[in-house]
Amino acid sequence: MTSTADEAIIEATLDLLAEGSTIETLSIEAIAARAGVGKATIYRRWPGKEALLLDALRRLKGIVPQPAGHSVRDDLVQLVGAVGRHIDPRAAKIMPCLVPEVNRSPENYRLYQTIIEPRRHLMREVLRRGVRSGELRADLDVEVAMALLTGPMLMQRMLRWHPELDERVLPERIVDGVLEGMRPR
């Protein structure tokens, strides 16, 4: 259970990022001031800025969808549909700005990997289940398959790559297209 102070601190962090603060320029002092708490309050809850950012960005990403496990296709549609989708409107401002920061800093890259790996793990497990059940090719390169599945969705959601693609059906279209190449010959 989170406290009111925890909520205020997370919200302040996300607000500052949405307003244009970079990971490097974001300070505990600014977060504390925005949240209306002292720095000591933050440090009692998080050992440092990286841990706080991790919690804030996890919140922003939302809960990792849990596949039902009945159909590889349906599970992949669910997971691909969650790629780049955020309930919090601040994500549209924050996530694209994090890309250069992730590429510039090994620490920020590790932060990103920590956030994204649970999602990759789920997709990896669905694909491996498909290989074990014979629904997918035995020689499937799972890591490349994940890139093929998630890349188009990220492009569309982050860059609005093609304005006429219907995002409501795009996850199904991506999965069905990629599955054609992953099924046994």
Side-chain angles (χ1 to χ4, degrees):
M1 177 180 264
T2 61
S3 71
T4 304
D6 294 350
E7 283 293 318
I9 293 164
I10 294 285
E11 289 298 313
T13 303
L14 293 174
D15 285 344
L16 289 166
L17 288 170
E19 291 166 9
S21 292
T22 65
I23 290 176
E24 281 80 21
T25 63
L26 187 66
S27 69
I28 295 296
E29 292 81 8
I31 295 167
R34 175 64 68 93
V37 300
K39 290 188 329 184
T41 301
I42 294 174
Y43 285 118
R44 275 195 300 275
R45 289 159 169 77
W46 292 276
K49 186 171 79 169
E50 185 172 313
L52 171 55
L53 279 168
L54 184 59
D55 282 353
L57 293 173
R58 277 187 180 143
R59 162 90 63 83
L60 191 66
K61 289 290 295 171
I63 296 169
V64 179
Q66 296 300 311
H70 302 299
S71 155
V72 168
R73 180 199 178 271
D74 291 347
D75 289 350
L76 289 173
V77 168
Q78 179 187 17
L79 293 171
V80 169
V83 170
R85 183 181 57 210
H86 308 285
I87 296 170
D88 191 319
R90 293 173 293 193
K93 293 179 181 176
I94 295 171
M95 297 313 283
C97 296
L98 293 180
V99 173
E101 294 191 49
V102 165
N103 289 323
R104 267 195 304 265
S105 159
E107 294 82 25
N108 293 342
Y109 181 75
R110 279 192 299 279
L111 176 69
Y112 169 75
Q113 293 300 321
T114 300
I115 292 168
I116 207 69
E117 181 52 33
R119 295 165 190 279
R120 274 198 311 256
H121 175 76
L122 283 174
M123 187 174 286
R124 195 177 288 120
E125 289 305 309
V126 169
L127 291 168
R128 287 178 180 154
R129 186 180 82 228
V131 169
R132 284 191 307 272
S133 71
E135 293 173 72
L136 303 177
R137 292 187 350 223
D139 66 343
L140 179 68
D141 185 328
V142 170
E143 300 304 317
V144 170
M146 290 191 312
L148 289 168
L149 288 162
T150 58
M153 202 72 225
L154 274 175
M155 285 285 292
Q156 183 62 26
R157 290 228 166 110
M158 287 185 70
L159 301 175
R160 313 267 320 129
W161 186 78
H162 193 304
E164 295 179 23
L165 286 176
D166 183 349
E167 285 191 28
R168 294 170 298 178
V169 296
L170 188 56
E172 289 180 57
R173 292 179 65 194
I174 291 169
V175 169
D176 290 341
V178 174
L179 278 177
E180 279 306 309
M182 293 192 306
R183 288 198 175 100
R185 292 180 172 94

